[in-house]
């Protein structure tokens, strides 16, 4: 949510900043801005809309801006104040030429604004960030680090900040609390960003700031301090994916690329983690001591959005196979409802980004209550990964499209592996375990077979493109698939869509069914199929057109629906993945036919770092 880039070095800053913003645009894209040090002070350019509009503002005749070697930039997802040019970052403060960009929320901005106004500060925007700029100015006595350190002591809320002062040319000061800051260490240059995708073209050496760190960066020096101004040491680590991984690679959209990357992403997720001989999964990040295992009372899975939908599959598999009591819960609800959780509970936090504010807060709450806490995270070095200390990385590669695809299927793969691991340490026999291993290893190929139907799915999408509303239904393992299918459709096509348990449809939503409201029904062959086919008939009796996800060769299911997409035969716990891929493609093609901005849907952000 909001992307920050900053640069100081010996090369022109503007191209680095603009390229970085383009990489971070998935975090927010309603306005963008840039500020650079020049011999005449700090020049700021801002624009409503996307980064391309900002780039258009930076004319070649602006030599001083073009020659600057130090600057900061921002792409915004509006929280305080609508997406206007005035509200766009960077914001300038007071008389000392302080300019900053910010990702996060200053919760006490009203009170600070009143105090600063009383001191004579004038505000131009409605943002909480401008308050911060004036506050830093009010503490400035010639040293930007000192001023920022003092200002942040008065601030409640979250921030990732990059700050310039016109009196300290070539110096960047950055700070974090709750919103990520990565420092890319180059040769004679430093690039700071909200995530590694904006720095990977320049360097693979990354320092991830911890909460409360404040860093002063000049061309050749990075000096990191705690909030009490005590020097702290943060090791650089190597970014382990290539710059190409964050490119579109010939696909029209990142989303389509990421859908097609799923066989490889899942292979990477399971690589080296399956033990076919012992019939189990090796997930050292989920190793419990024999005592913890014996005392384990419950597994609680928390996440938001797509990650929570994946968690529901985990709940089912954990109870189904391992006999471990499992519950999934919205991270936002968990953190505020004073949950009963303790040392005999294992809390698994699922998050692609590892930065989602509510999931992070749930992790902290669970840790405070003494639970065992593990992260299931894609972004290496992210806050949840670091704070949980234990867990499993997805290794799905960077996910750029706002609508999550490959992260979901990798999350489900890990959860199935976790269910296998826990099952084997309880009642599951080695033979059953070996079968489970084979089922998980077959998933990438199942996905390839669905991807081969891309053109067929695109044709089916044509029939569903003009709807304003749709319902997705499923039961058992297919219920989370219905939730995820509906989420994908509404996110990227703006068609109102809801996922329901197939039986629950009768308790209300059926009142909305009519000819113009289609139903997408998960009718995979397995337990519950007959009942779902009964629900399909109920929908058709109310004139709804039904698109079924059916198992290849299942003539009964094919005959029962109006249109179908078939997925390869496999047990329902793994059918979750190919069935979801079919629905991802369906949503993609519907959105494409409707001309929607697929990778950057309106109002959404990839990483929600505010509550
Ligand atoms: C946002 C994204 C979703 C994502 C959710 C959780 O809403 O748009 O795609 O599922 O956040 O994100 P996380 O990074 O924690 O998985």
């Amino acid at each position: 949510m909001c992307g920050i880039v900053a640069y100081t070095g010996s090369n022109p800053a503007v191209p680095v900043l603009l390229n970085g913003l383009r990489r971070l645009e998935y975090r927010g894209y309603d306005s963008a801005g840039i500020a650079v040090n020049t011999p005449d002070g700090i020049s700021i350019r801002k624009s409503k809309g996307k980064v391309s509009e900002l780039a258009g503002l930076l004319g070649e005749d602006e030599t001083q801006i073009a020659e600057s070697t130090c600057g900061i930039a921002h792409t915004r997802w509006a929280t305080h104040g609508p997406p206007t040019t005035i509200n766009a970052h960077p914001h300038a403060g007071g008389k000392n030429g302080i300019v900053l960009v910010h990702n996060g929320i200053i919760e006490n901005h009203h009170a600070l604004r009143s105090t600063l106004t009383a001191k004579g500060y004038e505000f131009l925007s409605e943002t909480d960030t401008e308050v911060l700029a004036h506050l830093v100015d009010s503490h400035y006595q010639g040293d930007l680090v000192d001023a920022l350190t003092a200002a942040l002591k008065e601030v409640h809320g979250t921030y990732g900040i990059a700050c310039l002062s016109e009196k300290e040319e070539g110096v960047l000061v950055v700070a974090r609390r709750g919103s990520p800051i990565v420092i890319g260490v180059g040769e004679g240059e430093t690039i700071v960003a909200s995530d590694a995708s904006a720095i990977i073209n320049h360097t693979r050496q990354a320092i991830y700031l911890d909460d409360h760190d404040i860093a002063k960066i000049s061309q050749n020096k990075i000096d990191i301090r705690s909030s009490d101004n005590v020097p702290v040491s943060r090791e650089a680590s190597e970014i382990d994916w290539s710059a190409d991984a964050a490119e579109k690679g010939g696909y029209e959209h990142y989303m389509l690329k990421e859908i097609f990357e799923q066989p490889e992403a899942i292979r990477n997720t399971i690589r080296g983690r399956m033990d076919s001989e012992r019939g189990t999964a090796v997930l050292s990040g989920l190793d419990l001591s024999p005592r913890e295992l014996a005392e384990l009372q419950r597994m609680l899975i928390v996440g938001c959005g797509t990650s929570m939908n994946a968690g529901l599959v985990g709940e089912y598999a954990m109870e189904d196979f391992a006999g471990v009591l499992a519950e999934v819960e919205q991270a936002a609800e968990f953190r505020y409802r004073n949950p009963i959780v303790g040392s005999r509970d294992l809390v698994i936090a699922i998050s692609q980004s590892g930065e989602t504010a509510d999931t992070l807060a749930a992790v902290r709450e669970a840790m405070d209550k003494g639970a065992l806490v593990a992260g299931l995270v894609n972004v290496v070095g992210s806050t949840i990964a670091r704070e949980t200390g234990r867990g499993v990385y997805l290794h799905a590669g960077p996910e750029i499209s706002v609508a999550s695809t490959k992260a979901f299927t990798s999350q489900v793969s890990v959860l199935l592996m976790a269910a296998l691991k826990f099952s084997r340490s309880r009642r599951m026999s080695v033979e059953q375990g070996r079968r489970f291993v084979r089922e998980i290893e077959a998933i990438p190929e199942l996905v390839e077979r669905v991807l081969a139907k891309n053109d067929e799915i695109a044709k089916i999408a044509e029939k569903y493109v003009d709807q304003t509303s749709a319902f997705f239904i499923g039961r058992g393992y297919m219920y989370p698939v219905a939730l995820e299918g509906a989420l994908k459709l509404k996110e990227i096509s703006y068609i109102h869509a809801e996922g329901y348990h197939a039986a629950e449809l009768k308790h209300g939503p059926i009142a909305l069914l009519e000819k113009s409201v289609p139903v997408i029904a998960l009718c995979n062959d397995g337990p519950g199929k007959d009942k779902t086919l009964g629900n399909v008939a109920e929908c058709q009796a109310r004139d709804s057109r039904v698109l079924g996800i059916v198992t290849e060769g299942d003539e009964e299911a094919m005959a029962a629906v109006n249109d179908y997409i078939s997925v390869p035969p496999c047990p329902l716990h793994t059918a979750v993945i190919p069935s979801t891929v079919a629905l991802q493609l369906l949503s993609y093609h519907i959105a494409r036919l409707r001309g929607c901005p697929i990778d950057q849907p309106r109002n959404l952000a990839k990483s929600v770092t505010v509550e």
Side-chain angles (χ1 to χ4, degrees), residues 304-307 350-354 356 359 402-404 411 491 604-608:
C304 300
T306 289
S307 294
I350 307 183
S351 175
Q352 188 286 128
S353 61
T356 300
T359 311
V402 167
S404 182
Q411 287 162 347
E491 278 179 313
L604 299 185
K606 177 90 188 137
S607 179
V608 178

mmCIF file of all heavy atoms in Angstrom, residues 304-307 350-354 356 359 402-404 411 491 604-608, ligand 1:
data_model
loop_
_atom_site.group_PDB
_atom_site.id
_atom_site.type_symbol
_atom_site.label_atom_id
_atom_site.label_comp_id
_atom_site.label_asym_id
_atom_site.label_seq_id
_atom_site.Cartn_x
_atom_site.Cartn_y
_atom_site.Cartn_z
ATOM 1 N N CYS A 304 -5.682 -12.746 5.438
ATOM 2 C CA CYS A 304 -6.679 -11.847 4.850
ATOM 3 C C CYS A 304 -6.855 -12.200 3.377
ATOM 4 O O CYS A 304 -5.915 -12.662 2.730
ATOM 5 C CB CYS A 304 -6.209 -10.393 4.915
ATOM 6 S SG CYS A 304 -5.914 -9.794 6.572
ATOM 7 N N GLY A 305 -8.026 -11.916 2.853
ATOM 8 C CA GLY A 305 -8.272 -12.054 1.411
ATOM 9 C C GLY A 305 -7.978 -13.453 0.919
ATOM 10 O O GLY A 305 -8.386 -14.469 1.510
ATOM 11 N N THR A 306 -7.239 -13.509 -0.172
ATOM 12 C CA THR A 306 -6.908 -14.790 -0.785
ATOM 13 C C THR A 306 -6.160 -15.692 0.185
ATOM 14 O O THR A 306 -6.368 -16.912 0.214
ATOM 15 C CB THR A 306 -6.064 -14.512 -2.052
ATOM 16 O OG1 THR A 306 -6.937 -13.947 -3.034
ATOM 17 C CG2 THR A 306 -5.438 -15.757 -2.609
ATOM 18 N N SER A 307 -5.300 -15.118 0.984
ATOM 19 C CA SER A 307 -4.525 -15.937 1.929
ATOM 20 C C SER A 307 -5.449 -16.613 2.945
ATOM 21 O O SER A 307 -5.193 -17.742 3.372
ATOM 22 C CB SER A 307 -3.496 -15.069 2.658
ATOM 23 O OG SER A 307 -2.544 -14.605 1.743
ATOM 24 N N ILE A 350 -0.774 -16.655 7.363
ATOM 25 C CA ILE A 350 -0.523 -16.808 5.924
ATOM 26 C C ILE A 350 -0.548 -15.422 5.274
ATOM 27 O O ILE A 350 -1.504 -14.667 5.443
ATOM 28 C CB ILE A 350 -1.602 -17.685 5.259
ATOM 29 C CG1 ILE A 350 -1.727 -19.017 6.001
ATOM 30 C CG2 ILE A 350 -1.264 -17.924 3.792
ATOM 31 C CD1 ILE A 350 -2.723 -19.971 5.378
ATOM 32 N N SER A 351 0.498 -15.115 4.521
ATOM 33 C CA SER A 351 0.541 -13.814 3.856
ATOM 34 C C SER A 351 1.524 -13.858 2.699
ATOM 35 O O SER A 351 2.678 -14.226 2.883
ATOM 36 C CB SER A 351 0.978 -12.737 4.859
ATOM 37 O OG SER A 351 1.130 -11.503 4.213
ATOM 38 N N GLN A 352 1.044 -13.531 1.519
ATOM 39 C CA GLN A 352 1.951 -13.448 0.367
ATOM 40 C C GLN A 352 3.036 -12.426 0.641
ATOM 41 O O GLN A 352 4.218 -12.709 0.554
ATOM 42 C CB GLN A 352 1.140 -13.064 -0.880
ATOM 43 C CG GLN A 352 1.874 -13.114 -2.202
ATOM 44 C CD GLN A 352 2.869 -11.998 -2.440
ATOM 45 O OE1 GLN A 352 4.034 -12.263 -2.776
ATOM 46 N NE2 GLN A 352 2.473 -10.762 -2.242
ATOM 47 N N SER A 353 2.611 -11.218 0.996
ATOM 48 C CA SER A 353 3.562 -10.109 1.141
ATOM 49 C C SER A 353 4.350 -10.183 2.442
ATOM 50 O O SER A 353 5.452 -9.658 2.536
ATOM 51 C CB SER A 353 2.798 -8.779 1.124
ATOM 52 O OG SER A 353 1.891 -8.737 2.218
ATOM 53 N N GLY A 354 3.748 -10.784 3.456
ATOM 54 C CA GLY A 354 4.374 -10.769 4.779
ATOM 55 C C GLY A 354 4.299 -9.406 5.445
ATOM 56 O O GLY A 354 4.973 -9.146 6.443
ATOM 57 N N THR A 356 0.949 -7.555 5.534
ATOM 58 C CA THR A 356 -0.444 -7.137 5.752
ATOM 59 C C THR A 356 -0.653 -6.760 7.224
ATOM 60 O O THR A 356 -0.369 -7.556 8.130
ATOM 61 C CB THR A 356 -1.391 -8.276 5.318
ATOM 62 O OG1 THR A 356 -1.147 -8.506 3.940
ATOM 63 C CG2 THR A 356 -2.840 -7.921 5.537
ATOM 64 N N THR A 359 -2.717 -9.073 9.571
ATOM 65 C CA THR A 359 -2.093 -10.384 9.800
ATOM 66 C C THR A 359 -0.900 -10.223 10.740
ATOM 67 O O THR A 359 -0.683 -11.024 11.655
ATOM 68 C CB THR A 359 -1.673 -11.013 8.459
ATOM 69 O OG1 THR A 359 -2.779 -10.938 7.553
ATOM 70 C CG2 THR A 359 -1.260 -12.460 8.627
ATOM 71 N N VAL A 402 -2.119 -7.386 -8.671
ATOM 72 C CA VAL A 402 -2.810 -7.178 -7.390
ATOM 73 C C VAL A 402 -3.638 -8.413 -7.013
ATOM 74 O O VAL A 402 -3.627 -8.859 -5.872
ATOM 75 C CB VAL A 402 -3.675 -5.896 -7.458
ATOM 76 C CG1 VAL A 402 -4.624 -5.831 -6.274
ATOM 77 C CG2 VAL A 402 -2.779 -4.677 -7.479
ATOM 78 N N ALA A 403 -4.334 -8.968 -7.995
ATOM 79 C CA ALA A 403 -5.125 -10.176 -7.713
ATOM 80 C C ALA A 403 -4.154 -11.349 -7.572
ATOM 81 O O ALA A 403 -3.384 -11.651 -8.477
ATOM 82 C CB ALA A 403 -6.118 -10.429 -8.835
ATOM 83 N N SER A 404 -4.226 -12.008 -6.433
ATOM 84 C CA SER A 404 -3.265 -13.071 -6.123
ATOM 85 C C SER A 404 -3.647 -14.372 -6.825
ATOM 86 O O SER A 404 -4.806 -14.774 -6.812
ATOM 87 C CB SER A 404 -3.267 -13.259 -4.607
ATOM 88 O OG SER A 404 -2.332 -14.224 -4.239
ATOM 89 N N GLN A 411 0.381 -21.480 -1.484
ATOM 90 C CA GLN A 411 -0.046 -21.566 -0.076
ATOM 91 C C GLN A 411 -0.773 -22.881 0.185
ATOM 92 O O GLN A 411 -0.517 -23.572 1.175
ATOM 93 C CB GLN A 411 -0.984 -20.395 0.253
ATOM 94 C CG GLN A 411 -0.274 -19.058 0.370
ATOM 95 C CD GLN A 411 -1.221 -17.867 0.249
ATOM 96 O OE1 GLN A 411 -2.374 -18.005 -0.157
ATOM 97 N NE2 GLN A 411 -0.735 -16.679 0.581
ATOM 98 N N GLU A 491 -12.744 -8.777 -7.957
ATOM 99 C CA GLU A 491 -11.555 -7.914 -7.920
ATOM 100 C C GLU A 491 -11.220 -7.344 -9.288
ATOM 101 O O GLU A 491 -10.915 -6.166 -9.414
ATOM 102 C CB GLU A 491 -10.323 -8.727 -7.458
ATOM 103 C CG GLU A 491 -10.187 -8.916 -5.983
ATOM 104 C CD GLU A 491 -8.961 -9.754 -5.638
ATOM 105 O OE1 GLU A 491 -8.738 -10.817 -6.250
ATOM 106 O OE2 GLU A 491 -8.226 -9.344 -4.746
ATOM 107 N N LEU A 604 -7.991 -1.079 -5.217
ATOM 108 C CA LEU A 604 -7.290 -2.160 -4.510
ATOM 109 C C LEU A 604 -5.805 -1.853 -4.383
ATOM 110 O O LEU A 604 -5.277 -1.007 -5.087
ATOM 111 C CB LEU A 604 -7.439 -3.486 -5.259
ATOM 112 C CG LEU A 604 -8.845 -4.019 -5.446
ATOM 113 C CD1 LEU A 604 -8.800 -5.388 -6.098
ATOM 114 C CD2 LEU A 604 -9.574 -4.102 -4.122
ATOM 115 N N ALA A 605 -5.163 -2.564 -3.496
ATOM 116 C CA ALA A 605 -3.705 -2.497 -3.389
ATOM 117 C C ALA A 605 -3.210 -3.901 -3.101
ATOM 118 O O ALA A 605 -3.922 -4.720 -2.525
ATOM 119 C CB ALA A 605 -3.283 -1.565 -2.270
ATOM 120 N N LYS A 606 -2.013 -4.155 -3.523
ATOM 121 C CA LYS A 606 -1.468 -5.503 -3.364
ATOM 122 C C LYS A 606 -1.179 -5.817 -1.904
ATOM 123 O O LYS A 606 -1.406 -6.927 -1.447
ATOM 124 C CB LYS A 606 -0.181 -5.591 -4.185
ATOM 125 C CG LYS A 606 0.544 -6.901 -4.083
ATOM 126 C CD LYS A 606 0.053 -7.838 -5.150
ATOM 127 C CE LYS A 606 0.582 -9.234 -5.018
ATOM 128 N NZ LYS A 606 -0.482 -10.219 -5.248
ATOM 129 N N SER A 607 -0.652 -4.844 -1.226
ATOM 130 C CA SER A 607 -0.195 -5.111 0.120
ATOM 131 C C SER A 607 -0.874 -4.103 1.045
ATOM 132 O O SER A 607 -0.612 -2.901 0.951
ATOM 133 C CB SER A 607 1.326 -4.946 0.120
ATOM 134 O OG SER A 607 1.825 -5.158 1.377
ATOM 135 N N VAL A 608 -1.767 -4.582 1.887
ATOM 136 C CA VAL A 608 -2.591 -3.671 2.684
ATOM 137 C C VAL A 608 -1.918 -3.460 4.041
ATOM 138 O O VAL A 608 -2.097 -4.241 4.968
ATOM 139 C CB VAL A 608 -4.024 -4.214 2.826
ATOM 140 C CG1 VAL A 608 -4.869 -3.292 3.686
ATOM 141 C CG2 VAL A 608 -4.658 -4.349 1.456
HETATM 142 C C1 LIG B 1 -4.850 -7.520 -0.515
HETATM 143 C C2 LIG B 1 -4.593 -8.104 -1.882
HETATM 144 C C3 LIG B 1 -5.075 -9.549 -1.920
HETATM 145 C C4 LIG B 1 -4.416 -10.355 -0.812
HETATM 146 C C5 LIG B 1 -4.630 -9.711 0.562
HETATM 147 C C6 LIG B 1 -3.753 -10.359 1.618
HETATM 148 O O1 LIG B 1 -6.204 -7.393 -0.316
HETATM 149 O O2 LIG B 1 -5.256 -7.346 -2.878
HETATM 150 O O3 LIG B 1 -4.747 -10.119 -3.172
HETATM 151 O O4 LIG B 1 -4.948 -11.647 -0.792
HETATM 152 O O5 LIG B 1 -4.265 -8.332 0.519
HETATM 153 O O6 LIG B 1 -2.408 -10.108 1.305
HETATM 154 P P1 LIG B 1 -1.208 -10.955 1.833
HETATM 155 O O7 LIG B 1 0.014 -10.300 1.256
HETATM 156 O O8 LIG B 1 -1.232 -10.881 3.331
HETATM 157 O O9 LIG B 1 -1.383 -12.346 1.352
#
